[in-house]
Amino acid sequence: NYATQFIHNKMICTAAFTLLALNVEAQKKPLDLTVFDEWQSIGKKELSNNGAWVAYQVNAQASDNNLNFFDLRTNQALVFNRGEQSVFTSDSKFALFKIRPFYSDLKLVRIKKKKENEIAKDSIGILNLTTKQVEKLPQIKSFKVPEKGGSFLAYLLEKEEPKKAKADSTKVVQSKSTKNSTKDKKDIPLELVVRNLLSGQKKSFKNVLNYEFSENGNQLIFSTKQEKKDSLDQTKYGVYLLNTKTFIEKQLVDTIGDFKQFAFDEHSN
């Protein structure tokens, strides 16, 4: 298709210029293993439904990736450092993408010189394809948009890490089992935010585990769960269905449990 052909041609041109530059540079400096760190490759690519925008990811070997958006009508390019996993809304009015932490920070985590909670969490970027303005939201666990449902967005917010108290040298710290403290983070309920990007309307829900849009975007289903046992907690947990046109929710299941892998029928009105 047009998007693939465009990116293919761009890669050929880039490769040609790169080879020319390498031939000239080769007379000054021989190639060594450090060159591999500078090599780039094209990753995920996508075309908006109206055919006006192409998004493609440029992956680096040992540095931050770049996410590129190209307006096929004006030949304008927008580049976002550390951008990944782009998706266009079905009405081609917005693009969403994940913003990863710096490569250097992730490397320090891998070699255990930093802990994961000591670096920035993932963020998301919301690109308005009409105004070219970008809104960035920090501390995002995950996000979803409906496959064929306008400009709706839902995302889970990361739980803020508690600030560490200053160490007291007079106290003796007793070792404890960390099995409970290292509970699988996938089981921790978080705050869900649902937004209509066109109207600006939004609503949030506490203690959400799983969520899913219907294909047409008219409905959003999500499950809630108590974070920790509390006999005084009167909150109703279970499964809820949100009408994205009215932003009114109703409870489908009034039972505490683990609910996942939601699916809608083809109508889901």
Side-chain angles (χ1 to χ4, degrees):
N1 57 28
Y2 187 82
T4 302
Q5 186 62 38
F6 166 79
I7 296 174
H8 178 71
N9 292 339
K10 191 176 182 68
M11 290 176 63
I12 292 176
C13 293
T14 302
F17 283 116
T18 301
L19 288 174
L20 179 61
L22 288 175
N23 288 334
V24 174
E25 190 68 22
Q27 301 176 8
K28 302 178 181 179
K29 179 183 176 180
L31 297 179
D32 55 28
L33 293 178
T34 61
V35 175
F36 289 98
D37 294 342
E38 302 174 3
W39 282 11
Q40 297 179 332
S41 61
I42 298 295
K44 178 185 177 183
K45 48 188 180 293
E46 187 176 11
L47 179 68
S48 63
N49 283 341
N50 65 357
W53 286 87
V54 172
Y56 62 96
Q57 187 173 311
V58 179
N59 298 325
Q61 293 292 329
S63 60
D64 297 315
N65 296 335
N66 285 327
L67 181 62
N68 297 259
F69 291 94
F70 190 82
D71 189 337
L72 297 172
R73 299 161 300 184
T74 65
N75 290 332
Q76 180 183 6
L78 302 173
V79 182
F80 298 97
N81 184 241
R82 297 180 285 121
E84 295 183 2
Q85 300 178 21
S86 62
V87 57
F88 292 104
T89 55
S90 62
D91 58 7
S92 303
K93 296 184 183 297
F94 295 88
L96 294 305
F97 57 95
K98 180 179 287 190
I99 303 172
R100 296 280 287 153
F102 287 102
Y103 174 87
S104 56
D105 287 339
L106 293 172
K107 184 176 180 179
L108 290 175
V109 172
R110 286 198 299 269
I111 62 178
K112 301 186 183 305
K113 289 193 174 182
K114 267 191 176 182
K115 295 181 179 179
E116 190 174 349
N117 61 4
E118 293 177 335
I119 67 173
K121 303 291 185 182
D122 287 347
S123 304
I124 62 171
I126 305 173
L127 172 62
N128 186 316
L129 297 175
T130 302
T131 66
K132 313 295 194 303
Q133 297 298 309
V134 179
E135 177 186 2
K136 295 181 180 179
L137 303 176
Q139 302 286 100
I140 303 298
K141 177 72 173 179
S142 67
F143 73 91
K144 294 180 181 180
V145 297
E147 186 176 344
K148 300 177 182 178
S151 295
F152 292 104
L153 166 67
Y155 53 88
L156 282 177
L157 293 170
E158 287 274 15
K159 188 175 291 294
E160 291 187 8
E161 297 285 346
K163 294 182 179 180
K164 292 183 178 180
K166 292 184 179 180
D168 187 345
S169 59
T170 64
K171 292 184 178 181
V172 178
V173 179
Q174 296 180 351
S175 61
K176 295 182 179 180
S177 173
T178 59
K179 288 186 178 180
N180 292 331
S181 61
T182 57
K183 181 182 178 182
D184 189 348
K185 292 184 178 180
K186 292 183 179 179
D187 293 333
I188 299 177
L190 302 170
E191 181 178 354
L192 173 71
V193 180
V194 185
R195 291 177 55 178
N196 182 328
L197 296 176
L198 280 177
S199 69
Q201 186 178 10
K202 72 176 182 179
K203 194 169 186 178
S204 61
F205 305 91
K206 302 290 187 181
N207 301 310
V208 174
L209 270 181
N210 300 293
Y211 64 106
E212 194 70 52
F213 276 108
S214 62
E215 185 180 49
N216 59 20
N218 290 339
Q219 309 281 354
L220 174 78
I221 191 170
F222 62 92
S223 62
T224 62
K225 183 180 180 180
Q226 194 175 36
E227 183 174 0
K228 54 185 177 181
K229 291 183 179 181
D230 184 354
S231 59
L232 300 178
D233 187 0
Q234 299 298 312
T235 305
K236 290 186 176 181
Y237 296 98
V239 179
Y240 288 82
L241 186 68
L242 176 71
N243 184 312
T244 56
K245 293 180 180 179
T246 63
F247 271 63
I248 296 175
E249 78 274 7
K250 63 179 179 180
Q251 189 170 20
L252 302 180
V253 179
D254 183 9
T255 303
I256 296 178
D258 291 324
F259 302 97
K260 58 186 69 176
Q261 298 182 347
F262 299 120
F264 291 86
D265 63 26
E266 60 182 3
H267 301 294
S268 57
N269 295 320

